[in-house]
Amino acid sequence: LLYGFALDRNPFNSVAVRFGASANDPLYKEKIDFAKSAGRAADGTEAFPLYADRFADEMLQFLRMICVTEKDLQSRDLSDIDFSIFVSRDNELAVLDTIKQACAAAVVRYDAAAEQNTALLRDTPNAFLSRKQRMAKRLVASELAILKRTVDAATRKAADITATMVA
């Protein structure tokens, strides 16, 4: 939008999604302290870009830390765990579920905003939209596609992990 165009298949298109520790988590304080010591936000939340074709490593590491349980720790400190690699099957499934929930919630927010703010864009033929309106419409469609693809990818990955558990 800044430059006046939007590409449908741009591999650098992304959607920022915010994740955070749950205040109900028994390890909440430890996670917040650990996140702060790693240079993260003091409130234990962080926004990461979601791309159409991949999960950012930094996001996965943060989510593995956010989703770690006392069972995963096995009497260790958070600083003793390498979050750049698979922590446990349950942890990885929780990470994927967190991604799916965040994306589904974002899609709902897009839909609510569309209902409230973009009736004009929806109901006006493209020929009568301004260039900026057409680009905004294309960008929203691109962001929704990224969110929906991410839900699908996380669902497939969780199914693969679950299948290896059964095998």
Side-chain angles (χ1 to χ4, degrees):
L1 290 176
L2 180 65
Y3 295 104
F5 64 91
L7 302 174
D8 289 331
R9 297 180 193 187
N10 183 354
F12 302 105
N13 281 351
S14 65
V15 178
V17 177
R18 183 165 292 282
F19 300 97
S22 169
N24 298 327
D25 186 339
L27 297 171
Y28 179 76
K29 183 177 177 348
E30 290 87 346
K31 290 176 182 181
I32 297 299
D33 292 343
F34 181 77
K36 283 194 283 191
S37 73
R40 297 288 178 193
D43 66 353
T45 65
E46 195 77 27
F48 294 96
L50 288 176
Y51 298 96
D53 61 345
R54 64 193 176 281
F55 296 134
D57 288 337
E58 189 179 17
M59 178 186 75
L60 290 175
Q61 291 174 30
F62 181 79
L63 289 174
R64 286 177 181 136
M65 185 274 296
I66 291 298
C67 293
V68 78
T69 63
E70 291 172 335
K71 180 181 173 186
D72 293 322
L73 288 178
Q74 300 173 359
S75 301
R76 298 178 290 174
D77 289 331
L78 286 171
S79 59
D80 296 332
I81 297 179
D82 182 358
F83 293 108
S84 67
I85 59 174
F86 199 84
V87 174
S88 71
R89 285 184 174 150
D90 289 343
N91 179 265
E92 205 70 10
L93 290 172
V95 165
L96 295 168
D97 190 54
T98 300
I99 292 169
K100 289 190 302 187
Q101 287 179 23
C103 290
V107 167
V108 168
R109 286 192 301 275
Y110 271 86
D111 290 343
E115 288 299 318
Q116 294 173 3
N117 302 322
T118 62
L120 170 71
L121 292 178
R122 234 187 10 256
D123 298 336
T124 305
N126 275 341
F128 296 110
L129 296 176
S130 73
R131 180 173 171 77
K132 286 184 180 183
Q133 288 172 321
R134 284 192 310 273
M135 292 305 111
K137 192 173 181 178
R138 184 178 285 176
L139 181 64
V140 167
S142 172
E143 290 176 353
L144 279 168
I146 289 170
L147 291 166
K148 290 174 182 178
R149 277 190 228 132
T150 299
V151 170
D152 292 343
T155 300
R156 282 191 309 275
K157 194 167 183 171
D160 290 346
I161 291 170
T162 303
T164 61
M165 290 171 62
V166 174

